[in-house]
Amino acid sequence: MGLSRNALRTAAIGAVSAALAAGTTLGSAVAAQPVRATAAPVTASAAGIRFVDITGHGGAVLKANVVTPAHADGTRRFPLVVLPTSWATPQIEYLAQARKLADSGYVVLTYNSRGFWQSGGHIEVAGPADVADAAAVVDWALAHTPADPGRVGMAGVSYGAGISLMAAAHDPRIKAVAALSGWADLIDSIYSGRTQHRQAAALLGGTGYLTGRPGPELRRVLHDFLSSDLSREQEMIDWGRKRSPATHLDRLNTHRPAILMANAWGDTVFPPNQYASFYEKLAGPKRLELRPGDHATAEAGGLLGLPNDAWTSTRRWFDHHLKGAANGIDREQPVQLKSRSGGPYEGYPDWRSVGEKRHRIPLGDEQRIRADADSGANGGTALLSNALDQFLRVPPTVSVPLLPRSRAAVWQSERYRTPRQVRGTTTLHTTVTSADSSGTFVAYLYDVGPLGFGRLVSNAPHTFHGRTPGEPFTVDLELFSTAYDVPAGHRLALVLDGVDPLYIDHNPTGARLTFSSPPTDPSYVSVPLREQ
């Protein structure tokens, strides 16, 4: 007889926790005994790691751990950092970083988000219950640890980042946030271009079912999303907007917490565009960092206690905004970018200053494709392809001359005599004619070398519904933001096709799309370049 899902989950907790603990530089082992929420305030004799149960919204028990400075003796208070766990990860996730923060004078409380592993309740995806849980965790920490109520911060990776931003919008006690690989707009993340991001949604749904308990609302939304039920589209959008920090921008700008946001150029779950757009609208102290990688891969080494840029910035951010340290982070350019091609970080005063110079490539000749089959051009595999690009600089690659022109529309620039540094968001403007009322196409920008091999620079999908067959319509599409250096002697190529494993397409069998460039409204792709 097989093990039950609860038994598997319990066994997995031990295995994952042991693996994470083995990889962290925690120094000497610290004994940890479970305590209830009625535990006495921490004193010097009790300092270290404690595993505790905290009662969250609706009575759900949240599994948590507390790390206090070794020199805490009850005579002073310390800034508090709360770390909600990432999607599908156990509460030990942040232990290495929690110890580092505690060693530098913070009380750190990490907790397993509701519905996952041994925490109670159902997965709510940063809904009202998660926001209430965060407030309850802060309440508990202020009552049972030497935490300073005037110096509260929250941070997290992925799901923890989203919850931290949502909590800061609703709880003015939170003075600083570090949101790593998170989302500002949930719909613009996994439904950009009105296209379901198939692999991202399947990954989140599958790991959610494996390690937690999705609530009825989430189960319904996942089903409707993956089954392309357009009759439920608005309901799904409303559900996502409610869980998007961008929806609560006014609250954040009223409370004005200091917000650090960091993401990877190739994040296949939460692409960087939605972070950059949100960043520009924030009114308080803010910083945006974008670097190579895929979802959460830019922060992963830090979870094992290894040197890590994202976590170093997080500690500097909290040191300045919660401790008042004059470490210079407030005097640096607030937008920090690292190119996928290597080199040092580049500083900009704001996102608008990134890629101010535009290079326009005309898309002059009309091209027609069959859109119901993959041409071979694609955005790779979620979590894998952009991680390979991060560590080995091997992005998805195709032979552009060999792409079947019956399935892929291709336009190329001239060869560049000097290097071109792509920085920011490439935009596509084109006219489309479809043989059907619904359809999907995906745009890819490639760096093409002398032998015709194209290395993926960026991509983005676009889906349309309710169009009159045979009637042209215009499309303006933002590709995912990036930083990439095109070598001298190379050219840029735009490729359009209809099928990509990353996305759900809406092309019926035999679907055909025509891309044209009317004289009165020419088609083009506009590439942002760094001034040299």
Side-chain angles (χ1 to χ4, degrees), residues 461-480:
H462 178 81
T463 293
F464 56 88
H465 298 289
R467 293 293 178 178
T468 302
E471 184 175 302
F473 59 94
T474 58
V475 171
D476 289 287
L477 176 63
E478 285 192 349
L479 277 64
F480 301 136

Side-chain angles (χ1 to χ4, degrees), residues 65-362:
N65 59 67
V66 182
V67 189
T68 54
H71 55 283
D73 58 6
T75 63
R76 55 176 293 201
R77 293 198 173 264
F78 301 87
L80 168 68
V81 174
V82 176
L83 300 166
T85 55
S86 303
W87 186 272
T89 58
Q91 69 193 79
I92 200 173
E93 175 189 11
Y94 299 117
L95 202 50
Q97 289 301 323
R99 285 301 300 267
K100 289 186 176 185
L101 285 165
D103 288 344
S104 63
Y106 292 89
V107 172
V108 186
L109 193 154
T110 81
Y111 70 96
N112 235 122
S113 305
R114 70 165 44 229
F116 283 108
W117 298 92
Q118 297 303 303
S119 282
H122 292 93
I123 303 171
E124 300 290 343
V125 193
D130 290 298
V131 173
D133 284 347
V137 168
V138 172
D139 290 342
W140 188 94
L142 296 179
H144 296 91
T145 75
D148 185 341
R151 296 184 291 168
V152 177
M154 283 192 74
V157 175
S158 183
Y159 193 46
I163 290 176
S164 294
L165 287 171
M166 289 292 292
H170 290 82
D171 191 337
R173 295 176 297 179
I174 299 170
K175 305 301 183 184
V177 173
L180 313 179
S181 289
W183 75 89
D185 188 324
L186 192 58
I187 296 301
D188 198 34
S189 294
I190 61 173
Y191 196 51
S192 67
R194 208 178 176 185
T195 308
Q196 297 101 319
H197 292 213
R198 182 207 314 265
Q199 290 186 13
L203 176 69
L204 294 173
T207 53
Y209 276 100
L210 177 64
T211 63
R213 299 167 300 282
E217 190 176 25
L218 175 57
R219 291 197 300 269
R220 184 177 67 254
V221 167
L222 276 172
H223 175 269
D224 295 341
F225 183 83
L226 292 172
S227 64
S228 302
D229 187 347
L230 286 177
S231 69
R232 307 296 288 272
E233 181 183 36
Q234 190 57 52
E235 179 182 340
M236 178 197 71
I237 289 173
D238 293 342
W239 178 88
R241 295 286 185 234
K242 186 176 182 180
R243 290 159 170 80
S244 296
T247 302
H248 306 279
L249 180 67
D250 288 348
R251 284 176 172 268
L252 284 166
N253 285 342
T254 297
H255 299 159
R256 297 176 69 88
I259 296 178
L260 162 67
M261 297 189 296
N263 204 356
W265 294 119
D267 195 319
T268 45
V269 180
F270 304 127
N273 300 48
Q274 44 93 33
Y275 247 19
S277 176
F278 179 66
Y279 169 84
E280 283 293 277
K281 300 170 186 174
L282 287 170
K286 58 186 178 179
R287 182 178 174 97
L288 176 67
E289 299 183 353
L290 296 170
R291 48 179 65 89
D294 205 313
H295 183 62
T297 63
E299 301 87 17
L303 297 177
L304 298 177
L306 302 175
N308 182 269
D309 289 355
W311 285 104
T312 297
S313 290
T314 296
R315 289 195 297 276
R316 293 181 66 217
W317 192 250
F318 285 149
D319 284 350
H320 179 73
H321 291 286
L322 296 182
K323 288 184 175 181
N327 56 17
I329 197 168
D330 58 318
R331 298 189 300 274
E332 296 170 359
Q333 296 275 36
V335 175
Q336 294 286 320
L337 312 182
K338 189 175 182 64
S339 172
R340 291 164 47 202
S341 304
Y345 282 91
E346 303 164 3
Y348 298 85
D350 50 43
W351 178 251
R352 291 187 301 273
S353 301
V354 177
E356 282 188 308
K357 179 181 177 182
R358 308 293 299 194
H359 168 52
R360 181 175 289 196
I361 302 172

Side-chain angles (χ1 to χ4, degrees), residues 191-198 228 230 233 369-375 377 407-409 428 430 432-444 459-467 473 475 477 495-515:
Y191 196 51
S192 67
R194 208 178 176 185
T195 308
Q196 297 101 319
H197 292 213
R198 182 207 314 265
S228 302
L230 286 177
E233 181 183 36
I369 65 170
R370 179 172 174 176
D372 61 345
D374 193 349
S375 70
R407 297 179 181 176
L428 167 67
T430 190
V432 182
T433 305
S434 172
D436 301 279
S437 61
S438 294
T440 298
F441 69 87
V442 185
Y444 308 91
N459 79 100
H462 178 81
T463 293
F464 56 88
H465 298 289
R467 293 293 178 178
F473 59 94
V475 171
L477 176 63
V495 176
L496 303 177
D497 77 358
V499 175
D500 188 312
L502 284 174
Y503 313 112
I504 292 177
D505 72 88
H506 295 260
N507 296 312
T509 302
R512 297 191 179 277
L513 298 175
T514 300
F515 302 96

Side-chain angles (χ1 to χ4, degrees), residues 406-428:
S406 62
R407 297 179 181 176
V410 180
W411 297 265
Q412 298 191 72
S413 72
E414 76 281 4
R415 292 194 186 280
Y416 301 125
R417 292 189 291 178
T418 58
R420 302 294 177 101
Q421 295 182 317
V422 179
R423 298 290 186 273
T425 307
T426 295
T427 58
L428 167 67

